Amino acid sequence: MTPRPDNILCPTEAGLYCPPGDFHIDPLRPVPRALITHGHSDHARPGHGAVMATRQTLDIMAIRHGEDFAASRQAATGPTRIGGVTVSFHPAGHVLGSAQILITPDRGPRILVSGDYCRTPNPTCLPWEPVACDVFITEATFGLPVFHHPDPLVEAGRLLASMAEFPDRPHLVGAYALGKAQRMIALARAAGHDAPIAIHGALQPLCDYHVAQGIGLGPLVPASDPGGARLILAPPSAFASPWVQRFRDPVLAYASGWMTVRARARSRGIELPLVISDHADWPALTATIRELAPQEVWITHGAEDGLLRWCELNAIPARPLRLVGYEDEPE
Amino acid sequence: MKAFARLLERLAFTPGRNAKLTILSHYLHDTPDPDRGWALAALTGTLDLRQMSPSLLKGLAAERVDAQLFALSYDFVGDLAETIALIWPAEPATGPEVSLSQAVSLLRETGKLSLPGVIAGLLDILTPPERLALLKLATGNLRVGVSARLARVALAMGSPRSVDEIEEIWHGMQPPFLPLFAWLRGGPLPPPVAAPFRPVMLSTPVTPAELAALDPADHVAEWKWDGIRVQAVSEGGQRRLYSRTGEEIGAAFPDLLAAMDFEGALDGELLVRRGDDIAPFADLQKRLNRKTVGRALLQSHPAALRLYDMLTWQGRDLRPLPLTERRAALEAASLDPARIDLSPLLPFTSWDDLAALRAAPHAAVIEGVMIKRRDAPYLAGRPRGPWFKWKRDPMVVDAVLIYAQSGHGKRSGFFSDFTFGLWDGGDLVPVGKAYFGFTDEELRELDRFVRKNTTRRFGPVRQLAPKLVVEVAFEGLNVSTRHRSGLAMRFPRIARIRWDKPAAEADRLDSLRAML
C-alpha cells in the first residue's frame, strides 16, 4: 500500500515531524534531530541534538545562539538520505540561507515544506526555485487578498523622498535584524543613497556576516556614533526603548509587509510605513500553488483561512495545519 | 491622482503640525493647476461631491470579490474603503495616469444611478493608493488631520501673501481656485466678494504680575463668554456667519442669520440663549457641525450672538479706529434684541476690583475676563499687548496615571500620552487623557516612571502600576455617554506631578461629578 502523506509528515506539538526519517522541521522545542528552513528565531531555535540546514543558516544560528546551539550540525549539500526518506534543500528567496525542504520517500508522495518564501528579487539571497512535489506545504503570512506588496524599490524611493523633504530629521527605519535590515540597506543603495547608513548594535553581527558572504551593503557606521548619517536602521523593538530618545525629532519608519494595513502602522506610531516584505504576497501565494500544481496543499502559519477559501474556490484540495508558535512576521 | 494619494497618505501618518505644513506646501507648490486646487478643496471641505454610502461600496466589492474572502479581509483591515482599495481585483492600467481633476469631474457630473459603475471603472485602472484616495473622496471622509486654517497657512508659505490676506479673500474663491493661485504668485487681486471674512483679533494670556505693570484706566474689561467666537457679516444683501478661523458656519444657524438685519461686520460670541439665560457650552455643541438644523432643535436650542466689537458699519471700515470709538458705534447700532445683544463692559477701577469679579462670575458660562486697551485699533492675528485674556482658575483634580502611550516626532521614544483615573470604590475609572502641561525635564521623569512601572502591555499601550498622582487641570466638564466615567473634561493637562502623594489619596469620581 502506498503511504499517505500523513505517514511521511505530520503536525505535532513540537512542529512538523517525519516518522520515517525521525526528524522535525523547524521544531518549536528541543528535539533530537531538526531540519531548519531558515535562521529567523521562531524557526531556528537553539538546543536541538543534530541540526541540518544550509551552510549559511548554520552560520546564522551560530551567530545568534552561540557556537554550541546544537550538539552536532550538518550542512545540507545535495540530496541526503535520512532514515527511510531523502531530503534536499532548495532556495526559498526569503532571507540569506533560507531553503525549502523537499522530502522524497521511497514510495509515496513527495512533500515540499516551503518554510517562509518570497518570489520578489532580493539581492541578499538566492531566488526562490520551483520544486516539483505532490504535497506543498505553504506559509500563509499574507494569505488574504488585500496583500499586494508593491515594488520594494519604489518603497525605498519613498524613504529617500521623505529624507529629501525633511532633511533635518533623522530617519529611523525599523527592520528585523536578519534579512530585512540588509535588504533595506541594499534597497536604499539601489535607490541611490550612497552616504553612510547608521545601524543599531543589534544589527551589526548579521550585517558583517552578509558582507562576508559577498553581499555589498556600502558604508555602515554604528548608530551610537552616527556622524552625519541621516538614515538609521534598528530592530523595531528599539523604537519602544529609550534608545530612540537620542535622536532629535526623528521620522519613524518601519519596513514590513504589515505596513499595507494602516491601522497596523498607526498603532505603532509609525510616520512612514514602508511595505517591504520577505514573504510571498497574495498574488505570489496563489500563483505558486497554481504553478506547482500539487495534488494537495497544506497551509501553515498566517492567514490560513483566506488561502484555504481560495483553494476551495479553485477546487484544490487543501487543509490547515494550525501549527502554533510561529510569528506572523518576526521582529 | 498619484501625487494626491501620496499627499493623503503622508498627511494621515504625520502627526506634527510643522511636518504637515511642509508636506502640504510642497504639494501645493509642485502640483499643477487645476489638480492642486481640487486637492485644496477636498482638504478644506469646499468640494461638494455626491457621496457614496458604505452599503453602496460594499455592494461594489461584492460584485468582484468572494464574500467570505471579503469578510476575512475587512475583519483584518478594519476600514471599509481601505479594504476595498486593497482587495479590488484589477491590475492597475499602464495607460496615462488619471488626474485628480478627471476623477473629481467624474464624481461631480455622474448621476446617482450611474455613480457605482463609474467608481468601479475608476477602481479598475487606479493603483491601490489611488483607489483609497478616490474612495475617501467619494465617501467624503479624508481624515488626514488638516484644518482649512492649516491649509491656508500652507498656501502662505513660499508666497508673498500672508495668511491674513488669504483669509480675507478666501470666501470669494471657488475650487479649483485658479485666481487664488495666480494671486499667490503675485498676480492681481481677485474681484472682491460680498460679505467677506476679516481676520480676527485674538488675545494673549496674562498673569496678575503682568497686569500690575499696566494702568487700569487705559483698559476696559468684559466677560469672556464660553461659546464660539464668530464674525457675523451682513453686507450687500449677503449674510454670512464665520468661525474665528474663517469657516462659514451659517448653514447650521438660520435663526441667527435671519436676525442679522444690519449692514456691517460684527465680532462676538455665538451662544445658545434662552431668554436671559446663556446655556452651557454642551448645548451649543448640539448646534455645531451640522449641514442643516431641524425645527425642534431651533426651538429647544435657540442661537444668539453677544457682541464684542464692530469691524465695519454701513460701508465704513472701523478697524483703524480706537476701541472706544468702535464700542460707541456698536452701542449706537440698532440690532434685533431677541437674538443679538452686547457683551457688557465691567465696572472696575483697580485690578483688584477686576480680580474680585473674575473670581465670582454670575454665570457658569463665563470663562474669565477680557482686558482690552481703549486706544487699540482692531488688528488681525494675536498681537501681544492690546488684548489680554485672564481666565478663571482652572478646575483641578488629583488623579492617578493608569495608562501611557509613546508620542511622535519630538517626543518619539518618550511615553508622553497619559490616561488618568479617579477612584470609584476600590477601582480606578479612567476619566481623561492628557498630553501636555509638563516640562521637558518632567517628561523624562514620567518616561522613566512608565518604564519602571509597566504592569501589562497592550500593543503600544502600557498599563501602569497605580502609583503616581498628577494634578490635572481642566477648563470645564460635560456629561458624556462616550466615556465610562460619564464625564468629559475640556482641555485637560497635567498641572503638577505629585510624586509626594500616595495614590490612595487621589480624588474620587464622586468629587469630579460634584463639579458638574
Side-chain angles (χ1 to χ4, degrees):
Chain A
M1 198 183 96
T2 309
R4 297 188 310 119
D6 293 78
N7 301 133
I8 300 185
L9 199 64
C10 56
T12 69
E13 286 201 356
L16 286 169
Y17 176 66
C18 173
D22 189 25
F23 60 81
H24 287 80
I25 295 181
D26 292 352
L28 297 156
R29 58 179 72 151
V31 298
R33 216 152 26 155
L35 273 57
I36 306 290
T37 59
H38 67 282
H40 278 151
S41 54
D42 51 334
H43 293 258
R45 294 168 197 262
H48 305 306
V51 167
M52 178 185 265
T54 63
R55 164 56 55 202
Q56 289 160 328
T57 295
L58 292 174
D59 290 345
I60 288 165
M61 290 178 78
I63 289 168
R64 309 191 97 182
H65 303 301
E67 285 296 335
D68 57 350
F69 69 87
S72 71
R73 57 178 110 159
Q74 181 180 349
T77 46
T80 305
R81 189 79 187 163
I82 305 180
V85 297
T86 301
V87 299
S88 52
F89 286 63
H90 307 268
H94 175 56
V95 295
L96 181 61
S98 66
Q100 314 173 74
I101 298 175
L102 179 69
I103 303 172
T104 309
D106 294 338
R107 282 172 58 239
R110 293 160 301 167
I111 302 182
L112 180 66
V113 181
S114 75
D116 291 331
Y117 74 99
C118 182
R119 299 187 58 178
T120 317
N122 178 345
T124 69
C125 64
L126 294 174
W128 177 88
E129 188 176 278
V131 180
C133 59
D134 303 300
V135 175
F136 179 49
I137 303 185
T138 182
E139 63 146 323
T141 303
F142 293 108
L144 285 172
V146 289
F147 292 107
H148 299 249
H149 300 328
D151 180 346
L153 200 54
V154 170
E155 295 297 284
R158 292 177 53 232
L159 171 64
L160 300 197
S162 176
M163 292 175 64
E165 183 149 48
F166 295 103
D168 299 330
R169 300 178 70 191
H171 281 58
L172 263 61
V173 182
Y176 186 62
L178 168 59
K180 191 66 64 67
Q182 295 78 25
R183 188 172 182 209
M184 190 67 243
I185 293 169
L187 284 167
R189 298 302 185 206
H193 185 77
D194 300 323
I197 295 174
I199 56 172
H200 185 281
L203 306 183
Q204 190 75 54
L206 286 165
C207 284
D208 290 346
Y209 179 68
H210 277 73
V211 171
Q213 290 289 304
I215 296 154
L217 299 178
L220 302 180
V221 295
S224 53
D225 183 17
R230 293 167 42 239
L231 177 56
I232 298 110
L233 262 70
S237 57
F239 286 4
S241 76
W243 180 83
V244 179
Q245 297 173 3
R246 71 188 68 196
F247 300 100
R248 202 185 136 272
D249 194 14
V251 173
L252 297 189
Y254 185 21
S256 163
W258 296 118
M259 292 299 103
T260 297
V261 176
R262 293 180 157 215
R264 289 279 182 126
R266 231 175 247 128
S267 75
R268 291 176 159 274
I270 297 300
E271 194 164 334
L272 182 65
L274 301 172
V275 185
I276 298 174
S277 177
D278 39 28
H279 291 265
D281 62 0
W282 175 261
L285 288 169
T286 53
T288 302
I289 293 173
R290 283 194 196 283
E291 189 178 331
L292 296 181
Q295 286 156 25
E296 211 176 307
V297 175
W298 294 358
I299 304 168
T300 65
H301 52 290
E304 292 104 320
D305 294 341
L307 205 52
L308 203 60
R309 173 65 178 164
W310 181 85
C311 289
E312 185 189 336
L313 290 171
N314 289 278
I316 296 166
R319 61 179 252 212
L321 293 182
R322 309 278 182 215
L323 291 177
V324 178
Y326 299 107
E327 291 165 34
D328 284 346
E329 185 179 53
E331 284 161 16
Chain B
M1 197 77 177
K2 286 194 168 72
F4 180 63
R6 267 198 304 274
L7 171 73
L8 292 190
E9 175 164 323
R10 287 307 310 269
L11 290 174
F13 283 109
T14 300
R17 181 176 185 274
N18 287 340
K20 276 190 155 89
L21 281 173
T22 302
I23 291 165
L24 196 48
S25 67
H26 286 172
Y27 173 85
L28 292 170
H29 180 267
D30 297 343
T31 309
D33 288 323
D35 271 19
R36 58 178 174 177
W38 292 117
L40 183 63
L43 290 168
T44 53
T46 48
L47 185 59
D48 213 7
L49 297 179
R50 189 188 303 281
Q51 288 181 358
M52 288 271 294
S53 66
S55 63
L56 249 169
L57 283 184
K58 278 187 189 160
L60 273 187
E63 288 176 17
R64 301 291 185 103
V65 186
D66 172 60
Q68 199 178 323
L69 282 174
F70 186 84
L72 286 167
S73 299
Y74 185 21
D75 192 43
F76 190 91
V77 174
D79 177 273
L80 183 64
E82 194 182 337
T83 307
I84 295 173
L86 293 170
I87 208 171
W88 196 259
E91 282 303 307
T94 47
E97 185 180 335
V98 178
S99 71
L100 177 60
S101 315
Q102 287 169 318
V104 165
S105 81
L106 273 172
L107 292 178
R108 277 158 64 98
E109 286 153 22
T110 306
K112 194 172 177 182
L113 286 176
S114 359
L115 191 59
V118 164
I119 289 189
L122 278 169
L123 291 175
D124 279 339
I125 54 176
L126 297 175
T127 61
E130 293 174 289
R131 287 182 206 141
L132 183 59
L134 176 77
L135 292 172
K136 294 278 171 189
L137 276 180
T139 53
N141 198 350
L142 296 183
R143 289 196 182 224
V144 291
V146 170
S147 65
R149 165 82 186 175
L150 192 84
R152 291 194 289 268
V153 174
L155 279 176
M157 289 167 71
S159 157
R161 315 293 184 189
S162 73
V163 67
D164 287 337
E165 289 175 283
I166 295 171
E167 300 212 315
E168 289 230 18
I169 67 157
W170 175 258
H171 283 279
M173 302 289 122
Q174 297 294 325
F177 305 108
L178 302 185
L180 175 71
F181 283 108
W183 171 73
L184 285 169
R185 282 194 309 270
L189 187 67
V193 285
F197 172 74
R198 277 95 174 170
V200 169
M201 180 162 177
L202 300 168
S203 60
T204 53
V206 72
T207 62
E210 290 164 331
L211 276 182
L214 302 174
D215 184 352
D218 291 341
H219 294 80
V220 300
E222 61 190 321
W223 296 120
K224 183 175 188 335
W225 299 95
D226 186 15
I228 297 276
R229 181 88 179 275
V230 290
Q231 189 175 105
V233 187
S234 176
E235 288 173 336
Q238 182 73 47
R239 295 180 185 185
R240 299 189 208 261
L241 191 63
Y242 295 107
S243 74
R244 71 167 213 205
T245 51
E247 315 310 323
E248 231 188 301
I249 57 170
F253 298 94
D255 45 352
L256 185 55
L257 286 181
M260 284 165 49
D261 189 15
F262 55 79
E263 182 72 19
L266 304 176
D267 178 338
E269 196 85 6
L270 178 64
L271 300 159
V272 166
R273 176 154 69 91
R274 301 184 183 96
D276 288 336
D277 292 334
I278 305 285
F281 186 79
D283 281 22
L284 177 61
Q285 247 173 344
K286 289 205 171 70
R287 292 282 309 262
L288 295 172
N289 301 322
R290 288 170 178 276
K291 289 207 165 140
T292 57
V293 54
R295 187 180 309 191
L297 200 59
L298 284 172
Q299 286 283 334
S300 62
H301 292 67
L305 184 61
R306 186 151 282 185
L307 294 173
Y308 298 130
D309 215 322
M310 182 176 262
L311 279 60
T312 70
W313 195 248
Q314 293 171 349
R316 189 169 161 230
D317 190 349
L318 306 185
R319 287 177 289 178
L321 302 179
L323 172 61
T324 42
E325 286 182 44
R326 299 199 306 277
R327 178 79 193 187
L330 185 62
E331 285 173 359
S334 159
L335 298 160
D336 177 356
R339 296 277 179 189
I340 304 177
D341 62 4
L342 267 55
S343 180
L345 295 184
L346 301 176
F348 73 104
T349 50
S350 70
W351 296 125
D352 285 344
D353 292 350
L354 194 60
L357 287 167
R358 166 182 170 270
H362 60 83
V365 288
I366 290 172
E367 278 191 295
V369 294
M370 297 292 302
I371 299 163
K372 300 177 176 176
R373 270 195 77 90
R374 290 174 183 274
D375 60 3
Y378 192 96
L379 301 168
R382 204 186 287 278
R384 171 129 190 111
W387 285 14
F388 293 112
K389 57 184 165 194
W390 193 19
K391 283 194 167 186
R392 288 180 75 173
D393 292 331
M395 301 188 223
V396 290
V397 286
D398 283 341
V400 183
L401 291 190
I402 47 183
Y403 299 105
Q405 198 168 351
S406 57
H408 303 279
K410 294 190 168 68
R411 289 166 156 198
S412 291
F414 288 98
F415 287 95
S416 60
D417 299 2
F418 301 99
T419 302
F420 49 85
L422 296 177
W423 294 108
D424 187 20
D427 295 332
L428 277 169
V429 179
V431 292
K433 287 185 172 193
Y435 315 94
F436 62 99
F438 33 81
T439 64
D440 288 353
E441 179 52 38
E442 285 172 326
L443 173 61
R444 280 188 283 279
E445 289 167 1
L446 286 168
D447 180 72
R448 275 195 293 276
F449 172 83
V450 171
R451 292 177 194 282
K452 281 190 197 143
N453 291 281
T454 298
T455 54
R456 284 182 72 183
R457 297 173 184 217
F458 306 93
V461 177
R462 302 278 187 100
Q463 182 176 325
L464 307 176
K467 281 178 166 174
L468 183 59
V469 177
V470 290
E471 183 182 299
V472 177
F474 53 101
E475 295 301 321
L477 198 61
N478 292 323
V479 174
S480 162
T481 49
R482 286 172 53 196
H483 298 81
R484 193 175 129 202
S485 63
L487 299 167
M489 294 176 176
R490 291 180 67 200
F491 308 122
R493 69 262 184 194
I494 293 178
R496 217 149 44 113
I497 307 172
R498 298 293 307 267
W499 300 104
D500 56 311
K501 189 161 185 168
E505 291 175 22
D507 282 318
R508 314 195 62 77
L509 188 56
D510 288 343
S511 41
L512 186 63
R513 282 205 191 101
M515 294 183 189
L516 267 176

